[in-house]
Amino acid sequence: MSIEAFKIIGGKKINGELSVEGAKNAALPIFVATLIEKGTYILKNVPNLRDIVTLTKLLESLGLEIEKLSNHSYKIVNTGLKSLEASYDLVKKMRASFLVMGPMLAHEKKARVSLPGGCAIGSRPVDLHLKGFEALGVKINIDHGYVEGETAELIGNKVVFDFPSVGATENVIMAAVKATGITIIENAAREPEIDDLCNFLVKMGAKIKGIGSGRLEIEGVKKLYPCEYSIMPDRIVAGTFIVASLMFDGEISVKGVVRDHIESFISKLEEMGAEFEIEGDVLRTKTKLSQLKPAKATTMPHPGFPTDLQSPMMTLMCLVDGTSEIKETIFENRFMHVPELNRMGANISTDANMARVTGIKNFSSAEVMASDLRAGASLVLAGLLAEGETIVNRIYHVDRGYENLEIKLQALGANIERIKVEI
Ligand code: UD1
């Protein structure tokens, strides 16, 4: 059997502009939200990613008709759901599939969705999602690896999350928009992708107050109306590209940056000595890598430092003289890129959820393995800087979250190609 890998000949100068695609983590819940109401939807600025393909298959199995209109736009037609069951086969590939539960409950008052199962970056339970549904009057039963939910009527209520889970917040919002009465979500996640989902739902006629805050107030409505919507730019891809711009001494500019969406990340880089100019949505830096100072970063729910930018930040810190520290508080096992970066000459030690990174002059080329999508992109960046040939295996992870990464990098002059390797 063969799988795809990137072969990179690093150590070359690269320069130009990297353009950020639409946000995966906003596109996924917005696609899912079209389950809530019948009609025809047009979604624009949708990234071309493996996760979108996976979700499309799941939504089609439930009865939606999905057509790709052009490179980044889709038509989704909901003529009613043909199935109320999301199977293990389709859910296991991507945890975000569990988001179909809220919309199916909103539409049909009934759903059977496979538990997502384990995941490389931690156990990732769905207890908070279920607690939210139960508060709205849904009777939950877990049977043979499936969550079954049913109710005669969804009734608005107060939902207080112990932790601001992104997925649980989205699932409960989607269940609540057509519930009877008012739902209040306290300690809601505040990630910008949740604002994007809310803005989409509001465009459909949903009544949501407090968007962007930790307290959402959703007044259920009888009917929603399908609409056309353009997905926000991907702030995690933007952050990854900003790391690339610093690793290459400012020779790369990044188009599609909304500073507000990654304020904590950009201010951490400024604390390290980086200076940025943002004109419209294009970010440039004149700061050289050698000017950066070490720092300490702790991942937190938004507006804190995003866990999804932890591995790109660590890759950058590997090249900063002195000792930096990263504490991961969102996911267990999210340091799987550490041994891979160390294979490339990095000097990183970990103790539980803490990583200590001592700067090196440069990475050295090696054969490595992507452990998740962000980690995979980080290894690609390291490979571009290392002299000689680096192979990054298991790039299906990278394809889940970065659109045409190698093609975008080739346009900057990078020597990177997609190859097949036997396993
Ligand atoms: C989303 C993002 C992911 C990002 C993460 C945190 C999508 C598709 N994915 O994932 O890229 O890394 O937010 O910013 O948007 N938890 C529970 N019980 C629950 C739900 C979550 O204990 O019911 C825990 C998880 O195990 C994890 C933490 O809460 O440790 C954060 O999870 P959550 O915010 O739900 O992340 P996701 O929605 O899965």
Side-chain angles (χ1 to χ4, degrees):
M1 201 178 103
S2 69
I3 56 165
E4 288 185 329
F6 283 139
K7 177 170 146 189
I8 305 163
I9 310 291
K12 279 182 64 169
K13 277 200 173 342
I14 60 174
N15 55 60
E17 185 173 277
L18 283 171
S19 200
V20 174
E21 61 263 17
K24 167 179 91 70
N25 288 353
L28 293 174
I30 290 173
F31 261 54
V32 166
T34 66
L35 287 167
I36 300 175
E37 193 70 73
K38 286 185 187 169
T40 300
Y41 300 79
I42 303 289
L43 299 178
K44 296 183 171 166
N45 203 31
V46 177
N48 277 316
L49 299 172
R50 184 182 282 252
D51 273 10
I52 299 290
V53 176
T54 305
L55 182 66
T56 297
K57 284 193 188 132
L58 172 61
L59 296 178
E60 283 172 344
S61 80
L62 301 175
L64 299 189
E65 288 157 35
I66 304 181
E67 185 189 342
K68 197 167 180 185
L69 297 177
S70 64
N71 199 18
H72 292 116
S73 48
Y74 284 78
K75 179 163 107 176
I76 302 185
V77 183
N78 178 347
T79 53
L81 305 189
K82 293 184 182 63
S83 158
L84 295 179
E85 176 171 318
S87 73
Y88 176 61
D89 260 8
L90 292 165
V91 174
K92 72 174 181 206
K93 293 198 177 124
M94 185 179 66
R95 182 183 152 82
S97 306
F98 196 72
L99 292 176
V100 298
M101 183 117 198
M104 288 207 286
L105 288 169
H107 194 311
E108 300 285 341
K109 317 281 180 289
K110 195 176 169 178
R112 185 167 191 264
V113 182
S114 165
L115 281 166
C119 161
I121 59 174
S123 62
R124 307 180 96 182
V126 290
D127 53 316
L128 299 169
H129 301 236
L130 303 186
K131 188 179 161 192
F133 296 144
E134 280 174 336
L136 301 188
V138 178
K139 216 172 150 286
I140 297 284
N141 182 34
I142 298 181
D143 187 37
H144 298 294
Y146 278 77
V147 179
E148 296 167 346
E150 196 169 357
T151 180
E153 189 183 7
L154 287 160
I155 307 214
N157 198 354
K158 194 171 199 174
V159 176
V160 185
F161 285 130
D162 296 337
F163 177 86
S165 152
V166 172
T169 302
E170 293 170 341
N171 234 337
V172 174
I173 293 170
M174 292 190 280
V177 283
K178 283 179 77 182
T180 304
I182 294 179
T183 299
I184 291 172
I185 308 179
E186 296 279 9
N187 201 20
R190 287 183 278 168
E191 270 65 6
E193 292 78 10
I194 293 177
D195 303 358
D196 215 34
L197 170 66
C198 288
N199 292 334
F200 170 71
L201 291 166
V202 166
K203 202 168 177 198
M204 285 175 70
K207 291 192 177 162
I208 308 177
K209 285 192 205 153
I211 298 175
S213 79
R215 185 181 192 276
L216 295 171
E217 192 177 318
I218 304 154
E219 186 183 338
V221 293
K222 285 245 162 343
K223 187 159 171 51
L224 293 169
Y225 301 89
C227 67
E228 183 175 315
Y229 193 78
S230 185
I231 311 288
M232 64 179 264
D234 196 310
R235 64 194 174 103
I236 305 301
V237 173
T240 310
F241 290 172
I242 293 171
V243 165
S245 79
L246 288 165
M247 282 171 69
F248 285 90
D249 288 336
E251 294 291 325
I252 297 170
S253 55
V254 186
K255 181 168 173 47
V257 178
V258 181
R259 181 172 175 135
D260 266 5
H261 290 174
I262 41 170
E263 182 58 46
S264 57
F265 174 73
I266 292 187
S267 359
K268 185 55 69 181
L269 293 171
E270 286 174 342
E271 189 189 310
M272 292 167 73
E275 284 178 28
F276 299 106
E277 256 171 40
I278 305 184
E279 251 183 75
D281 68 344
V282 179
L283 174 143
R284 291 189 183 83
T285 176
K286 289 203 179 73
T287 310
K288 303 270 178 269
L289 183 57
S290 59
Q291 294 170 305
L292 296 182
K293 300 183 291 281
K296 291 183 182 175
T298 301
T299 64
M300 298 283 268
H302 192 78
F305 190 96
T307 175
D308 287 349
L309 284 173
Q310 184 251 102
S311 57
M313 178 56 116
M314 191 182 290
T315 310
L316 180 68
M317 284 173 166
C318 285
L319 300 164
V320 175
D321 196 22
T323 301
S324 297
E325 278 176 11
I326 293 190
K327 190 171 171 190
E328 171 61 56
T329 73
I330 308 292
F331 291 112
E332 28 175 320
N333 308 339
R334 212 178 191 179
F335 283 148
M336 285 177 23
H337 44 285
V338 168
E340 304 303 310
L341 286 170
N342 281 343
R343 281 178 61 75
M344 297 187 72
N347 184 354
I348 310 167
S349 60
T350 57
D351 181 5
N353 67 345
M354 185 75 131
R356 208 156 272 110
V357 187
T358 304
I360 53 166
K361 281 267 167 309
N362 194 0
F363 291 106
S364 64
S365 50
E367 183 162 354
V368 289
M369 186 175 82
S371 52
D372 76 45
L373 56 174
R374 311 303 169 193
S378 307
L379 291 170
V380 169
L381 297 184
L384 288 174
L385 219 52
E387 295 284 340
E389 180 181 299
T390 291
I391 305 285
V392 181
N393 288 306
R394 299 202 186 166
I395 55 166
Y396 52 84
H397 285 300
V398 180
D399 292 335
R400 287 188 52 200
Y402 294 84
E403 177 178 309
N404 295 335
L405 185 61
E406 82 276 28
I407 295 170
K408 288 185 181 179
L409 292 169
Q410 283 161 1
L412 304 185
N415 189 337
I416 173 170
E417 58 173 322
R418 191 174 282 260
I419 58 166
K420 291 218 183 302
V421 287
E422 290 305 317
I423 53 162

